[in-house]
Amino acid sequence: MKQPIVIIGVGEMGGVFARGFLRLGHPVYPVTRGQNLEQAATEIPEPEAVLVAVGEKDLPGILEQLPDAWKNKIILLQNELLPADFSHLPEVTVISVWFEKKPGMDYKVIIPSPCYGPRCPLLRDALGKLDIPVKILGDEDQLLFELVLKNLYILTTNIAGLKTGGSVGELWAEHQDIALEVAEDVIRLQEKLTGRRFDHEALIAAMLHAFEGDPEHKCMGRSAPARLERALEHARDHELELPSLMQLASEMH
């Protein structure tokens, strides 16, 4: 029998990973909201991995409660992740998820999902059982670029979508000026949050490659207003002016 895998947060995304792990032959143990993590860790002290599949807003609370026995087994998959969020974890594995899973529909791959960390082979094999491609990265700099790229895609499409609606293909074809203004603000915010400079053109080109992977992908999900507010809150904390985001926020109220 292969070692068990713990999944904290069994929503749409956790369910996809669970299916892949089960097809590899790993028992999967879910930890649902309200369950005591320390108690769970006494019952499953030596899992193969612990996948944290809760939403972005719940992640900080979960990371604070992680039992010591699990801390070197963690896999993270959230949007809006940056290295500062997990730098305290030893041997963490991070996957930037580029497939969509919504209630009532099966998953849909946009582009291969980049992964970095010791449990990438496990993720590649598990998701490979579902024909979901995983791209294993070579170093932390590549991971940082991929995390910033995913943040750029999510924040640009969600925030611009508050004004334009529609799909990512329509956003670029019909509202390119708005998309670029928002994207530049988002990249500047990522630079401020990470203390690093990025090649803006390379990030925009990579974002457009993701647009081409699923042109019909809707720009704006339920989380869009919260993402805008979170971005502006980060900007205020760092005394950063983001004119296009501030303008969009004023138009929403």
Side-chain angles (χ1 to χ4, degrees):
M1 177 71 78
K2 292 187 177 180
Q3 281 181 283
I5 292 174
V6 173
I7 299 184
I8 303 174
V10 193
E12 295 293 328
M13 199 57 69
V16 175
F17 282 85
R19 211 188 315 174
F21 293 140
L22 288 167
R23 288 197 184 179
L24 274 186
H26 289 275
V28 173
Y29 290 86
V31 176
T32 55
R33 190 184 300 272
Q35 272 187 264
N36 184 291
L37 296 185
E38 288 290 348
Q39 177 63 33
T42 62
E43 296 172 9
I44 314 166
E46 288 293 329
E48 177 78 15
V50 177
L51 175 71
V52 181
V54 300
E56 297 95 293
K57 68 181 189 331
D58 296 322
L59 180 63
I62 292 293
L63 294 185
E64 285 177 9
Q65 300 171 49
L66 281 178
D68 288 341
W70 286 357
K71 282 185 177 173
N72 64 341
K73 308 284 182 71
I74 298 299
I75 301 171
L76 300 177
L77 53 70
Q78 287 70 22
N79 292 322
E80 298 185 52
L81 269 184
L82 287 172
D85 299 317
F86 52 81
S87 59
H88 61 294
L89 292 172
E91 300 183 56
V92 65
T93 299
V94 180
I95 182 166
S96 179
V97 171
W98 282 97
F99 58 89
E100 182 183 32
K101 177 68 178 78
K102 291 190 173 170
M105 57 169 273
D106 210 349
Y107 53 84
K108 181 176 184 180
V109 174
I110 300 174
I111 57 175
S113 295
C115 182
Y116 181 73
R119 283 165 180 80
C120 288
L122 171 67
L123 292 176
R124 178 196 59 206
D125 294 347
L127 293 177
K129 292 286 186 183
L130 307 176
D131 294 323
I132 298 174
V134 170
K135 177 175 73 174
I136 297 181
L137 303 173
D139 57 43
E140 291 179 0
D141 281 343
Q142 290 179 7
L143 173 64
L144 177 60
F145 181 90
E146 294 291 349
L147 292 176
V148 169
L149 168 61
K150 186 66 183 297
N151 293 346
L152 176 64
Y153 176 94
I154 292 284
L155 292 171
T156 299
T157 57
N158 273 210
I159 292 170
L162 287 166
K163 184 177 181 73
T164 66
S167 67
V168 299
E170 290 165 343
L171 174 65
W172 192 248
E174 300 169 20
H175 307 285
Q176 196 172 125
D177 53 338
I178 297 171
L180 284 172
E181 287 172 5
V182 171
E184 282 296 328
D185 271 3
V186 171
I187 295 172
R188 288 174 55 234
L189 176 60
Q190 299 297 302
E191 289 179 333
K192 185 64 90 169
L193 292 174
T194 59
R196 298 281 292 271
R197 299 283 295 173
F198 299 103
D199 183 333
H200 291 213
E201 289 186 8
L203 280 168
I204 298 286
M207 181 177 73
L208 294 181
H209 176 65
F211 283 8
E212 292 163 3
D214 183 12
E216 300 304 315
H217 191 91
K218 293 300 178 194
C219 283
M220 192 187 70
R222 290 172 302 173
S223 305
R227 291 194 201 283
L228 173 56
E229 185 49 47
R230 215 160 29 236
L232 289 172
E233 192 177 312
H234 286 315
R236 286 191 293 271
D237 290 346
H238 290 80
E239 299 179 348
L240 179 65
E241 292 277 322
L242 299 177
S244 69
L245 270 59
M246 293 167 69
Q247 175 67 31
L248 281 170
S250 69
E251 291 174 9
M252 294 301 109
H253 295 299

Short mmCIF file of all heavy atoms in Angstrom, two decimals, residues 18 49 75 106 115 128 142 146 202 228 240:
data_model
loop_
_atom_site.label_atom_id
_atom_site.label_comp_id
_atom_site.label_asym_id
_atom_site.label_seq_id
_atom_site.Cartn_x
_atom_site.Cartn_y
_atom_site.Cartn_z
N ALA A 18 -7.34 14.82 -5.84
CA ALA A 18 -7.66 13.56 -5.16
C ALA A 18 -7.85 12.44 -6.17
O ALA A 18 -7.37 11.31 -5.96
CB ALA A 18 -8.92 13.74 -4.31
N ALA A 49 2.35 13.33 1.31
CA ALA A 49 2.25 14.77 1.03
C ALA A 49 1.00 15.30 1.70
O ALA A 49 0.07 14.55 2.00
CB ALA A 49 2.21 15.03 -0.47
N ILE A 75 2.18 20.90 -0.10
CA ILE A 75 2.00 21.32 -1.49
C ILE A 75 0.98 22.46 -1.49
O ILE A 75 -0.10 22.34 -0.91
CB ILE A 75 1.47 20.17 -2.38
CG1 ILE A 75 2.42 18.97 -2.35
CG2 ILE A 75 1.25 20.66 -3.82
CD1 ILE A 75 1.85 17.73 -3.04
N ASP A 106 -16.41 19.26 -15.92
CA ASP A 106 -15.11 18.65 -15.66
C ASP A 106 -14.03 19.71 -15.83
O ASP A 106 -14.28 20.81 -16.31
CB ASP A 106 -14.88 17.46 -16.59
CG ASP A 106 -13.99 16.40 -15.94
OD1 ASP A 106 -13.41 16.69 -14.87
OD2 ASP A 106 -13.87 15.30 -16.50
N CYS A 115 5.49 23.66 -11.88
CA CYS A 115 5.61 23.14 -10.51
C CYS A 115 7.07 23.21 -10.08
O CYS A 115 7.98 22.98 -10.90
CB CYS A 115 5.12 21.69 -10.49
SG CYS A 115 5.15 20.91 -8.87
N GLY A 128 -0.97 13.53 -14.46
CA GLY A 128 -0.80 12.84 -15.75
C GLY A 128 -1.83 11.74 -15.96
O GLY A 128 -2.22 11.46 -17.10
N GLN A 142 12.65 30.69 -11.70
CA GLN A 142 11.60 30.29 -12.64
C GLN A 142 10.24 30.23 -11.94
O GLN A 142 9.23 30.66 -12.50
CB GLN A 142 11.93 28.93 -13.26
CG GLN A 142 13.10 28.94 -14.21
CD GLN A 142 13.40 27.56 -14.78
OE1 GLN A 142 12.66 26.60 -14.57
NE2 GLN A 142 14.51 27.46 -15.50
N GLU A 146 6.79 32.39 -12.74
CA GLU A 146 5.50 31.72 -13.00
C GLU A 146 4.42 32.19 -12.02
O GLU A 146 3.25 32.32 -12.41
CB GLU A 146 5.67 30.21 -12.92
CG GLU A 146 6.55 29.62 -14.01
CD GLU A 146 5.93 29.69 -15.40
OE1 GLU A 146 4.72 30.00 -15.52
OE2 GLU A 146 6.66 29.40 -16.38
N ALA A 202 8.05 40.29 -21.47
CA ALA A 202 8.03 38.83 -21.38
C ALA A 202 6.79 38.36 -20.61
O ALA A 202 6.15 37.36 -20.98
CB ALA A 202 9.29 38.32 -20.70
N LEU A 228 -9.58 43.07 -6.54
CA LEU A 228 -9.28 44.49 -6.74
C LEU A 228 -9.01 45.17 -5.40
O LEU A 228 -8.02 45.90 -5.25
CB LEU A 228 -10.43 45.19 -7.47
CG LEU A 228 -10.33 46.71 -7.61
CD1 LEU A 228 -9.04 47.14 -8.30
CD2 LEU A 228 -11.55 47.25 -8.37
N LEU A 240 2.16 52.78 -2.86
CA LEU A 240 2.29 52.66 -4.30
C LEU A 240 1.02 53.16 -4.98
O LEU A 240 -0.08 52.75 -4.60
CB LEU A 240 2.54 51.19 -4.68
CG LEU A 240 2.68 50.86 -6.17
CD1 LEU A 240 3.94 51.51 -6.75
CD2 LEU A 240 2.73 49.34 -6.37
#
